[in-house]
Amino acid sequence: MDLGNRRVNGHITSDVLETTVNKFSKLSTETDVECKTASSSVASNKISSESTSRTRKQYPRKRTEYIEWPDYFMAVAFLSAQRSKDPSTQVGACIVNPDNKIVGIGYNGMPNGCPDDDLPWGKDSEDWLDRKYPYVCHAEMNAIMNKNSADVKGCTMYVAMFPCNECAKLIIQAGIRDVVYYSDKNRCKPEYVASQRLFTMTGVTVRQYKPSRNRIVIDFSDIDAQCMAAVHQEVDGRDNNDVS
Ligand SMILES: O=c1ccn([C@H]2C[C@H](O)[C@@H](COP(=O)(O)O)O2)c(=O)[nH]1
């Protein structure tokens, strides 16, 4: 069945989904009216007025403060960045397929098996080998390497920073077609000018993310405040016992 879904940047827009849902609910209401009309020939006035009110049933409306797809994916990238141990810049990336499924997440960090404490995290040492740059894996690279699907062809990458030239190469080679970034603070540096060149040549679309809200707060007490209070009580109790 053709649901009439429209895609923007490979994503089904929520307004289209809503229209589709409305189409379906209209269809079921019309069917309902037909059934009621047939039965009304044998029913009393009372029954027919009951059925009219039933066809106008008002369901509780959906929640409207839900986060939109782009905010959701960028927030996942930002949350992932919080895993980074880089003291100056934390970057996160989230790869999304055309069905709005997340297929890879990554943040900047040292390669697997390299202890975080044995490598430098600074950027100013005189000796290049004593800086973080030769060692750290970029968020984009990690997101691609961490993919949980066969490939990431035709996907969109949401990333906290405009990708550098090395990441641009990886993005292109992996078949990612769209990049949505948040910060462009480095864009005038040569390696970022190079990435823009590569993206333009290969037709990878790049756009800056404009958040529809300033903050997305994760509050563990949102779902079950009582549970949260109980957990705190338990932790406080344990702390008090430790002291005595
Ligand atoms: O496209 C990029 C560019 C950089 N990163 C990472 C690499 C480093 O850990 C930091 C940059 O450190 P600065 O101190 O800001 O020079 O960001 C990345 O993941 N992706």
Side-chain angles (χ1 to χ4, degrees), residues 15-214:
D15 58 336
V16 175
L17 275 180
E18 201 175 318
T19 315
T20 310
V21 170
N22 287 343
K23 254 192 232 165
F24 274 115
S25 55
K26 186 163 175 279
L27 265 179
S28 71
T29 311
E30 279 163 3
T31 317
D32 212 9
V33 171
E34 273 169 28
C35 297
K36 299 288 154 22
T37 312
S39 62
S40 68
S41 61
V42 288
S44 68
N45 278 352
K46 185 172 173 264
I47 292 170
S48 90
S49 72
E50 267 174 15
S51 55
T52 309
S53 65
R54 263 203 284 147
T55 57
R56 297 220 184 100
K57 203 172 207 171
Q58 289 291 308
Y59 290 112
R61 304 304 297 164
K62 71 180 182 194
R63 177 174 168 260
T64 52
E65 309 81 48
Y66 61 91
I67 49 181
E68 299 290 347
W69 284 125
D71 293 335
Y72 174 62
F73 298 133
M74 192 56 92
V76 169
F78 270 64
L79 183 63
S80 169
Q82 290 302 308
R83 283 278 313 145
S84 175
K85 283 133 194 164
D86 188 324
S88 55
T89 308
Q90 302 83 42
V91 188
C94 171
I95 305 174
V96 182
N97 77 11
D99 294 325
N100 283 329
K101 302 279 187 293
I102 293 176
V103 293
I105 300 178
Y107 57 89
N108 52 330
M110 294 304 176
N112 293 340
C114 299
D116 296 324
D117 295 322
D118 296 353
L119 287 168
W121 282 107
K123 49 183 180 178
D124 300 321
S125 288
E126 215 169 292
D127 187 347
W128 183 72
L129 285 173
D130 291 335
R131 299 180 200 161
K132 64 183 168 181
Y133 300 109
Y135 312 105
V136 74
C137 298
H138 288 192
E140 297 89 326
M141 172 202 258
N142 279 334
I144 293 170
M145 297 306 292
N146 291 343
K147 67 179 183 298
N148 57 16
S149 59
D151 60 50
V152 290
K153 288 194 174 72
C155 289
T156 299
M157 178 181 279
Y158 289 80
V159 58
M161 262 183 16
F162 188 82
C164 71
N165 61 318
E166 291 302 327
C167 292
K169 293 183 221 173
L170 288 171
I171 288 168
I172 293 163
Q173 295 302 78
I176 290 172
R177 296 305 298 159
D178 301 289
V179 173
V180 184
Y181 65 93
Y182 178 70
S183 164
D184 64 354
K185 66 174 184 175
N186 291 323
R187 257 192 110 157
C188 48
K189 293 187 185 163
E191 54 269 45
Y192 296 84
V193 174
S195 9
Q196 183 59 67
R197 275 190 198 168
L198 293 171
F199 287 141
T200 307
M201 278 176 182
T202 51
V204 172
T205 68
V206 184
R207 70 184 162 87
Q208 190 166 29
Y209 163 74
K210 303 274 180 247
S212 66
R213 50 174 91 198
N214 281 343

Side-chain angles (χ1 to χ4, degrees), residues 6-19:
R6 178 160 35 99
R7 280 166 188 267
V8 172
N9 280 341
H11 299 143
I12 300 169
T13 56
S14 56
D15 58 336
V16 175
L17 275 180
E18 201 175 318
T19 315

